């Protein structure tokens, strides 16, 4: 199944996070508000009981005396939703507010003297919140117990909660939608550089651009740099293929012409063998050039010392009859991002050439200086007759013979593909030095 785009995944992930956040926030706000509203109602009912107690008096015979108009006007308004009652010790109602006229209310709870009782009960298809308080009233040395009860219709309380709930979810919903719209705009703006990279890649595929050239944020610079490196490497590889094929065709012309001209000569067989070997070297070299990998983006680093040690072991066997000494100066921790095959080709050719001319000793040194790998091969042979000419490509491969620089030409091609520099020089006191420097990738 094809995965969703990054923008869709980010948008829906953000939408889910926003939904969960606002739902949790909404439930938390609503619960807190309901608790606050319920506590406020409880305090208000308690204050109504205190007002009722302050307005209540008993005559000498113990009968209740209440004013015709109470401090709370809702007690005087029929069906106002707020009702008050007073009960005697036997639980009989001895007084109720005018607002209770003709209305049946739930039976109150019976707390002990000096204690409060709260309840929620239903009657006549309505829910009521009640609060009761029992006092001991002293009259003429006698004590009389009275129960003061206040009950309120839940309808107004529920309507207030419903109004708050509607406003809360409306505001939270509007805020969530606005946040998602802003988030969608931010995502589009934030991912715009990726869309520009995609557009430039399409232009490169269409041949309208050679490489990615736009200005991009720091997070995308490694990506665009690596893409440009891959594009450059591919162009270099294609150019190497074309150059190798062109050089191969041109280099084979001379051996073929020689074979055509000496067909009738007596030593034709010897000349044929000589030119076939020559063509074999030319073909091997040109194929090697074409197969050179060169710089590779995201190449895995390899340790240099083990590769050089294996090559030196092989050279000791190849040149063992001459008693040559091979020495290595390379830190074990030194690493390089060169392709291992290219590294074998470079070091192998340099060591083989040095082994052909050295008298007794060959030294290989490797180091890392100024963000570049430096590799040098020193020998104690006769040196180069003309170092300046030797480090140039001077002699064509169709004119060279074994031992006259074919290996050095191979090394030069590979080093050039990595953006490096190859140099040759004669050493003071005798011998030659071939060194190369390849910048870090």
């Amino acid at each position: 199944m094809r995965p969703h785009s990054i923008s869709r995944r980010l948008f829906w992930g953000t939408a889910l996070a926003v939904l969960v956040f606002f739902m949790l926030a909404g439930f938390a706000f609503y619960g807190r508000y309901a608790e606050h509203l319920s506590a406020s109602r409880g305090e208000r009912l308690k204050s109504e009981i205190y007002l009722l107690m302050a307005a209540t008096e008993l005559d000498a015979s113990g009968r209740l005396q209440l004013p015709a108009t109470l401090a709370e006007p809702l007690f005087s308004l029929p069906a106002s939703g707020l009702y008050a009652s007073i009960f005697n010790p036997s639980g009989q109602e001895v007084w109720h507010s005018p607002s209770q006229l003709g209305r049946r209310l739930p039976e109150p709870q019976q707390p002990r003297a000096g204690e409060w009782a709260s309840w929620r009960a239903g009657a006549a298809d309505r829910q009521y919140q009640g609060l009761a308080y029992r006092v001991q009233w002293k009259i003429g040395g006698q004590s009389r117990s009275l129960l003061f009860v206040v009950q309120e219709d839940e309808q107004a309380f529920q309507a207030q909660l419903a109004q708050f709930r509607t406003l809360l979810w409306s505001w939270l919903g509007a805020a969530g939608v606005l946040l998602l719209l802003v988030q969608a705009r931010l995502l589009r703006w934030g991912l715009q550089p990726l869309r520009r990279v995609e557009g430039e890649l399409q232009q490169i595929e269409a041949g309208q651009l050679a490489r990615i050239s736009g200005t991009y944020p720091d997070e995308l610079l490694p990506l665009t740099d690596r893409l440009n490196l891959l594009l450059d490497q591919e162009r270099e590889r294609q150019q190497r293929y074309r150059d190798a094929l062109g050089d191969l065709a041109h280099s084979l012309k001379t051996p073929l012409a020689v074979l055509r001209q000496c067909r009738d000569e007596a030593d034709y067989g010897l000349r044929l063998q000589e030119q076939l070997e020559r063509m074999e070297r030319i073909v091997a070299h040109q194929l090697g050039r074409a197969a050179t990998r060169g710089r590779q983006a995201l190449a895995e680093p390899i340790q240099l010392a083990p590769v050089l040690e294996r090559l030196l072991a092989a050279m000791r066997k190849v040149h063992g009859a001459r008693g040559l000494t091979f020495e290595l100066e390379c830190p074990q921790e030194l690493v390089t991002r060169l392709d291992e095959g290219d590294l074998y080709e470079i070091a192998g050719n340099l060591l083989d050439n040095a082994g052909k001319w050295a008298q007794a000793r060959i030294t290989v040194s490797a180091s890392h200086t100024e963000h570049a790998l430096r590799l040098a091969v020193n020998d104690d042979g006769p040196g180069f007759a003309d170092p300046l000419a030797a480090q140039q490509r001077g002699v064509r491969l169709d004119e060279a013979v074994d031992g006259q620089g074919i290996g050095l030409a191979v090394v030069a091609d590979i080093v050039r593909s990595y953006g490096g520099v190859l140099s040759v020089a004669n050493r003071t006191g005798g011998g030659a030095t071939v060194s190369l420097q390849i910048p870090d990738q």
Side-chain angles (χ1 to χ4, degrees):
M1 184 178 68
R2 180 183 177 184
H4 294 300
S5 65
I6 295 178
S7 58
R8 289 184 180 180
R9 293 171 65 181
L10 289 175
F11 177 80
W12 289 115
T14 303
L16 180 60
V18 168
L19 177 63
V20 172
F21 172 78
F22 278 108
M23 287 184 64
L24 293 176
F27 286 124
F29 286 143
Y30 178 76
R32 184 61 181 164
Y33 179 78
E35 291 177 2
H36 173 73
L37 190 61
S38 179
S40 298
R41 183 176 62 170
E43 293 297 323
R44 182 166 51 82
L45 293 180
K46 187 179 290 187
S47 66
E48 298 293 350
I49 288 182
Y50 285 139
L51 289 175
L52 185 62
M53 292 170 58
T56 300
E57 295 182 359
L58 294 177
D59 57 16
S61 61
R63 288 180 298 183
L64 292 174
Q65 299 290 329
L66 280 92
T69 303
L70 298 174
E72 173 57 66
L74 292 178
F75 285 148
S76 303
L77 184 64
S80 65
L82 185 64
Y83 314 104
S85 303
I86 303 176
F87 293 84
N88 59 21
S90 61
Q92 293 180 346
E93 188 179 65
V94 294
W95 179 87
H96 61 261
S97 62
S99 60
Q100 188 180 331
L101 184 64
R103 183 171 296 275
R104 182 183 176 185
L105 298 177
E107 292 294 328
Q109 295 186 9
Q110 301 290 329
R112 291 180 296 182
E115 294 183 355
W116 295 90
S118 177
W119 68 92
R120 184 171 180 269
D125 299 329
R126 286 182 179 272
Q127 291 289 331
Y128 295 89
Q129 178 67 41
L131 186 66
Y133 184 73
R134 185 177 294 278
V135 297
Q136 291 296 118
W137 213 291
K138 292 185 178 180
I139 302 174
Q142 295 183 352
S143 178
R144 183 177 180 185
S145 176
L146 293 177
L147 181 65
F148 291 85
V149 178
V150 174
Q151 299 190 68
E152 185 179 37
D153 194 336
E154 285 270 318
Q155 187 174 9
F157 176 78
Q158 295 298 333
Q160 190 172 357
L161 278 180
Q163 182 182 12
F164 176 78
R165 183 170 58 246
T166 301
L167 288 175
L168 175 65
W169 290 115
S170 297
W171 280 105
L172 288 179
V177 171
L178 178 61
L179 183 59
L180 288 177
L181 292 176
V182 173
Q183 181 66 23
R185 182 60 181 172
L186 287 176
L187 285 175
R188 183 175 181 82
W189 174 71
L191 295 176
Q192 184 64 32
L194 287 176
R195 282 188 284 271
R196 286 195 286 117
V197 170
E198 180 186 7
E200 288 204 47
L201 288 176
Q202 291 176 350
Q203 289 180 299
I204 292 173
E205 290 178 354
Q208 299 172 355
L209 289 177
R211 64 202 316 267
I212 297 175
S213 57
T215 303
Y216 294 98
D218 294 340
E219 293 80 2
L220 288 182
L221 284 179
L223 173 64
T224 55
D225 290 345
R226 286 291 186 267
L227 287 174
N228 280 332
L229 182 57
L230 286 172
L231 292 171
D232 293 341
Q233 290 171 357
E234 183 60 27
R235 277 192 290 269
E236 290 174 2
R237 187 176 297 112
Q238 294 296 331
Q239 187 62 42
R240 279 200 305 275
Y241 292 159
R242 287 191 291 268
D243 292 345
L245 292 175
D247 287 349
L248 178 61
H250 184 80
S251 299
L252 290 177
K253 289 181 180 179
T254 300
L256 292 175
V258 171
L259 291 177
R260 281 195 298 267
Q261 291 174 1
C262 65
R263 282 181 300 180
D264 300 328
E265 296 180 6
D267 60 348
Y268 180 73
L270 180 61
R271 301 290 295 276
L272 176 62
Q273 181 65 29
E274 178 184 305
Q275 296 303 319
L276 287 177
E277 291 177 358
R278 187 176 183 182
M279 286 190 289
E280 183 179 2
R281 290 196 304 271
I282 293 172
V283 171
H285 173 65
Q286 296 297 352
L287 291 179
R289 285 182 59 199
T292 300
R293 299 194 66 181
R295 292 182 300 169
Q296 297 294 313
L298 308 177
E300 182 179 355
I302 59 173
Q303 285 187 301
L304 191 61
V307 175
L308 296 178
E309 288 171 354
R310 288 194 291 271
L311 282 170
L312 289 179
M315 290 300 163
R316 291 188 184 101
K317 295 178 180 179
V318 172
H319 301 282
R322 300 177 56 203
L324 297 179
T325 300
F326 291 86
E327 296 179 354
L328 175 63
E329 299 173 359
C330 177
Q332 289 294 323
E333 67 276 8
L334 184 60
V335 297
T336 179
R337 292 186 181 274
L338 296 179
D339 177 70
E340 189 170 358
D342 290 345
L343 180 57
Y344 272 108
E345 190 74 18
I346 292 172
N349 276 294
L350 293 181
L351 288 172
D352 188 51
N353 280 346
K356 292 175 182 178
W357 300 101
Q359 299 296 325
R361 183 184 302 274
I362 296 172
T363 303
V364 182
S365 62
S367 60
H368 189 271
T369 58
E370 298 180 355
H371 307 290
L373 171 68
R374 186 179 184 277
L375 181 66
V377 177
N378 303 313
D379 66 70
D380 57 355
F384 295 98
D386 188 352
L388 293 178
Q391 71 180 20
Q392 298 174 357
R393 295 194 62 192
V395 180
R396 294 197 58 86
L397 291 175
D398 56 337
E399 301 171 354
V401 296
D402 193 20
Q404 291 185 330
I406 294 179
L408 200 58
V410 172
V411 173
D413 286 334
I414 298 176
V415 171
R416 190 180 301 107
S417 70
Y418 282 93
V421 177
L422 177 71
S423 61
V424 300
N426 288 329
R427 301 171 60 196
T428 303
T433 297
V434 180
S435 62
L436 58 92
Q437 188 164 305
I438 297 178
D440 292 338
Q441 298 184 55

